[in-house]
Amino acid sequence: MFRTLTSPNPTEFAGKRAIITGGSRGIGAAIVQRLLDGGATVATTARNATDETPKAATFIQGDISTLAGVQAFTAAALNELGGVDIVVNNAAAARTHLGGISSIPDEEWLDALNLNYLSAVRVNNALLPALREAGPGSVIVNISSGAALTPVPPLAHYGAAKAALNTYGKALASELAPAGIRVTTITPGNVLTPGADVIRQNFADAMSVPLADVTAGIPLGRPGDPRDIAEAVAYLASDRAQWVTGANLIVDGGELPVI
């Protein structure tokens, strides 16, 4: 069970403008709320808002799996916020193919790359002029996945896209470091979110085991809560991490292999 933390410093991100993709529910909604709690002004996007979407954020409906969708969202977000200091690329989706790699249709490989990898590339490219204008201290955080480190055939397309995101993030960090813009990656383990719950249920059904067995091997004894990832984002986006760039922070309860 996630232990409730003390209240965040409400001025930690005061004056900061954050743009977060995939912020309607799950990990994304938790990140949005955490940065709001720290005093940031936040704009976020998803195909649709949900009951989980923090009401204090500006929600911009959109589809960032296409270049045109990214351009429309980032333009609207910059118009709303007047600039950006923090970018969190969280949008992601995966569908299991229990028939293995050969059963994954070509269009789903393309969909996986567009949403789970290229959306981050396009969002960052679109926002980079504003990040440079904001100056040193601006931050990009890309949300990856344990599937990039422990690839399995039914999610090979998703894991490959996230592995590409990891490599891209490291390269971007090197390129932007002279400008004082930090780029980091977070790799979550098994986190309890609506999308991940469906995937775990698919695997449990395929193996004919109880759902709880899928997360039973986590050393710290529980699956993750979206707030676990949000706290990691808050750290990496803050001045507490001012000498951290190019890093991939694994937040997994000890489950994933060392990289």
Side-chain angles (χ1 to χ4, degrees), residues 20 22-24 43-50 53 57-64 68-74 76-77:
I20 301 168
S24 65
T44 190
T45 190
R47 288 187 173 93
N48 296 288
T50 74
T53 310
T58 296
F59 179 80
I60 301 168
Q61 186 176 26
D63 177 3
I64 62 166
V70 166
Q71 291 172 335
F73 163 62
T74 52

Side-chain angles (χ1 to χ4, degrees), residues 25-142:
R25 64 177 189 169
I27 289 173
I31 294 169
V32 170
Q33 188 61 60
R34 178 61 180 82
L35 294 187
L36 286 169
D37 290 344
T41 305
V42 180
T44 190
T45 190
R47 288 187 173 93
N48 296 288
T50 74
D51 291 341
E52 287 185 55
T53 310
K55 301 300 186 289
T58 296
F59 179 80
I60 301 168
Q61 186 176 26
D63 177 3
I64 62 166
S65 65
T66 68
L67 177 59
V70 166
Q71 291 172 335
F73 163 62
T74 52
L78 288 174
N79 183 63
E80 179 69 28
L81 301 182
V84 64
D85 306 282
I86 301 167
V87 178
V88 183
N89 291 294
N90 171 72
R95 198 172 113 191
T96 51
H97 287 270
L98 297 175
I101 294 172
S102 63
S103 71
I104 303 173
D106 184 73
E107 60 269 19
E108 285 207 31
W109 284 95
L110 294 173
D111 288 347
L113 287 170
N114 273 316
L115 181 59
N116 299 298
Y117 168 48
L118 289 176
S119 68
V121 175
R122 292 162 175 162
V123 166
N124 292 339
N125 285 344
L127 295 178
L128 191 52
L131 287 166
R132 289 188 183 276
E133 184 177 339
S138 302
V139 182
I140 296 170
V141 182
N142 298 321

Side-chain angles (χ1 to χ4, degrees), residues 66-259:
T66 68
L67 177 59
V70 166
Q71 291 172 335
F73 163 62
T74 52
L78 288 174
N79 183 63
E80 179 69 28
L81 301 182
V84 64
D85 306 282
I86 301 167
V87 178
V88 183
N89 291 294
N90 171 72
R95 198 172 113 191
T96 51
H97 287 270
L98 297 175
I101 294 172
S102 63
S103 71
I104 303 173
D106 184 73
E107 60 269 19
E108 285 207 31
W109 284 95
L110 294 173
D111 288 347
L113 287 170
N114 273 316
L115 181 59
N116 299 298
Y117 168 48
L118 289 176
S119 68
V121 175
R122 292 162 175 162
V123 166
N124 292 339
N125 285 344
L127 295 178
L128 191 52
L131 287 166
R132 289 188 183 276
E133 184 177 339
S138 302
V139 182
I140 296 170
V141 182
N142 298 321
I143 307 299
S144 185
S145 168
L149 305 183
T150 55
V152 292
L155 287 174
H157 53 324
Y158 176 68
K162 288 299 192 180
L165 181 65
N166 292 353
T167 300
Y168 157 76
K170 183 67 173 177
L172 188 64
S174 296
E175 180 170 296
L176 297 184
I181 300 171
R182 296 188 295 106
V183 182
T184 58
T185 299
I186 292 175
T187 296
N190 267 296
V191 179
L192 298 178
T193 68
D197 290 346
V198 172
I199 292 172
R200 280 187 288 270
Q201 188 65 63
N202 289 340
F203 280 118
D205 292 344
M207 295 182 292
S208 299
V209 300
L211 179 59
D213 284 7
V214 179
T215 56
I218 298 174
L220 280 181
R222 66 167 175 88
D225 184 286
R227 291 169 291 182
D228 290 309
I229 311 305
E231 286 297 329
V233 170
Y235 164 67
L236 290 174
S238 75
D239 288 342
R240 289 172 288 150
Q242 61 187 279
W243 206 52
V244 179
T245 196
N248 186 342
L249 177 60
I250 299 175
V251 185
D252 67 336
E255 181 181 19
L256 295 170
V258 174
I259 58 170

